[in-house]
Every structure is written in C-alpha cells, then in structure tokens.
Amino acid sequence: PEHQWSYRELLGNRNFWLLALGCGLLFGSDQALLASQVPYFQDAGISLSAGAMIASCMTLSAVAGKLIVGALADRVDLRVLFFGVAVAHVGLLLVFIVQPGFWGLLAFASILGIAVGGVFPLSSTLLAWLFGARSFGTVMGAKLIVMKPIAILALYFLGAVYDRTENYDRGFAVLIVGVCLAAGALCACAFAFACFAGAALCVFAFAAVFVAARTFAPLEWDAGVLRAGAFLACLRAVLLKMGASVQW
C-alpha cells in the first residue's frame, strides 16, 4: 500500500523542502513579474493599450504553457521540464531588463510566457511523483504554507526596489538568482548530494547576476553584494546545522 505521509515526516524530508522552496521561488518570481507589468511598461515608454496587448499575449502564452507542459509531464523527466521552465523564465526576466521595445517585448512575452503557465502543473505532478497520490492534499497544504510567504516577500521586494531606485533592473536580477536556485532545488529532488549541486548552482548564478548588475546598474552595488554574500554564508551555516536532523 502507498505510504501516508504525516506533517512530522514531511518537515524532516529533504525532497519536501526542495520542492516547496523551489516552487516558492518560481511562483514568487511569477507573481512579482506579473504585478509589475503596468508600471514597467509605462517606464519603458509603452502606452497602456500597447502594454495591455503584451500582457494579454503573455497570459495566452501562459494558458498554452499549462497545456503543453502538462502534456510533456507525462512523457519527460519532470526535473528536466522544471529546468526548461526555469531557463525560459530567466530569459523572460533578461528580456525585461534589456527592454527591446514594444515588438521585442511582444514577441518574447508571447513565446517565453509558457514559463509562467508551466510552474503549477509541473509542481503538482512532481508532488504526486515524489509523495504519491494518497498524500497529495497533505503535502500540497504544507507546500503552500511555505510558498505563499515567499511570493509575498518577492512582491514586496520588487516594489521596494522600484521605490528606491525608480527602476526594476536590480529587482529582476535578484529574481534571476531566485529562479536559478529554484531550478537547482527542483532538479535535485530525489538525488543525493543535493547540497553540493545547489551550492555550485548558487555560486554560478550569483556570479552571473553580479556581472549583469554591474553592467546594467553599477551604482552602489558593492554594498549589496557584501550583504548578499553574508546572507548566503548564514544560510549555508543553517543548512549544515539542519543536516543532523533533516534527511539530506
């Protein structure tokens, strides 16, 4: 018979935390990006009607993404699909940083919007694959408790960055870091040595975004890098401390 997972077991399970944190980071990036579209388009010199057209095309692409990614989830390794969705999401954020103009934004949003719609069906399928259909409701409820605060923080963070800098570039760059970490966490589900893979991906993502940030918004970034580095060091220490009780 299929195992019935309890909350106590979930809190001590590596795959649960990788799934919840990875999905939370992707979902938070999605929500922050969607909520900032109107002011972003206005700052880019795009009219409200043209911006509405881009947003509508992205929404249609997201709907198509649910169907396409959902169908592929029955045939392709879910971790590979999550990696593809994360790559498309990073591409969309980079396009928003570059600001290629109306036609460029329309084209890329229509294509890469699939990444926005593919997160939820993939996360639900991966949840059932990891923990079984019998515990789906229990695991989904616990996962949402972790995901929602991350989404709220992402929304607040992007708005705060805009209020302080009057620009979304730095906020989008940080979201790229989050998406890269999410890809590492979700691709590491059910694999051993997840900490090593996640740490390597974290270093790569941090270095890549640092270069991008120095290029697009170099002012007062060094202090932010130092603070972010201190945060990552503290996070690493916490994870190592949890290693004694969590099934890594």
Side-chain angles (χ1 to χ4, degrees):
E2 192 174 278
H3 178 66
Q4 177 70 48
W5 289 84
S6 67
Y7 288 119
R8 181 185 295 274
E9 289 175 316
L10 289 176
L11 293 177
N13 184 270
R14 173 184 68 93
N15 284 333
F16 169 76
W17 288 107
L18 290 174
L19 177 66
L21 294 174
C23 291
L25 289 170
L26 275 176
F27 183 74
S29 180
D30 280 345
Q31 296 304 303
L33 183 62
L34 293 174
S36 63
Q37 285 184 97
V38 173
Y40 169 82
F41 291 144
Q42 290 179 322
D43 287 350
I46 298 174
S47 65
L48 288 177
S49 59
M53 181 181 295
I54 298 175
S56 299
C57 290
M58 184 184 297
T59 301
L60 291 174
S61 178
V63 172
K66 293 182 184 297
L67 299 174
I68 295 172
V69 174
L72 289 174
D74 295 331
R75 300 170 177 83
V76 182
D77 190 311
L78 298 176
R79 292 162 295 193
V80 175
L81 278 181
F82 257 119
F83 184 78
V85 167
V87 169
H89 202 125
V90 169
L92 186 60
L93 289 169
L94 288 174
V95 168
F96 272 58
I97 291 176
V98 175
Q99 292 187 7
F102 170 75
W103 291 109
L105 285 170
L106 181 64
F108 283 108
S110 300
I111 298 172
L112 299 177
I114 294 174
V116 177
V119 174
F120 189 78
L122 268 182
S123 64
S124 300
T125 308
L126 184 58
L127 185 154
W129 179 61
L130 290 172
F131 299 99
R134 186 180 178 186
S135 303
F136 185 88
T138 301
V139 182
M140 176 63 78
K143 179 169 74 76
L144 289 176
I145 291 177
V146 179
M147 287 176 57
K148 293 300 183 179
I150 297 176
I152 293 172
L153 288 174
L155 285 165
Y156 173 79
F157 167 76
L158 194 59
V161 169
Y162 181 80
D163 289 340
R164 183 173 181 178
T165 65
E166 298 183 355
N167 192 287
Y168 282 112
D169 290 352
R170 295 184 183 182
F172 289 154
V174 174
L175 290 182
I176 290 175
V177 175
V179 172
C180 290
L181 293 175
L186 292 169
C187 291
C189 282
F191 278 127
F193 308 111
C195 288
F196 295 98
L201 188 60
C202 176
V203 172
F204 172 78
F206 192 80
V209 174
F210 173 72
V211 173
R214 292 289 293 185
T215 301
F216 293 111
L219 298 178
E220 299 180 1
W221 190 252
D222 292 331
V225 169
L226 292 176
R227 288 193 294 270
F231 169 77
L232 290 176
C234 293
L235 180 61
R236 176 180 176 274
V238 171
L239 291 176
L240 291 175
K241 188 70 174 179
M242 290 174 60
S245 57
V246 178
Q247 299 172 10
W248 293 103

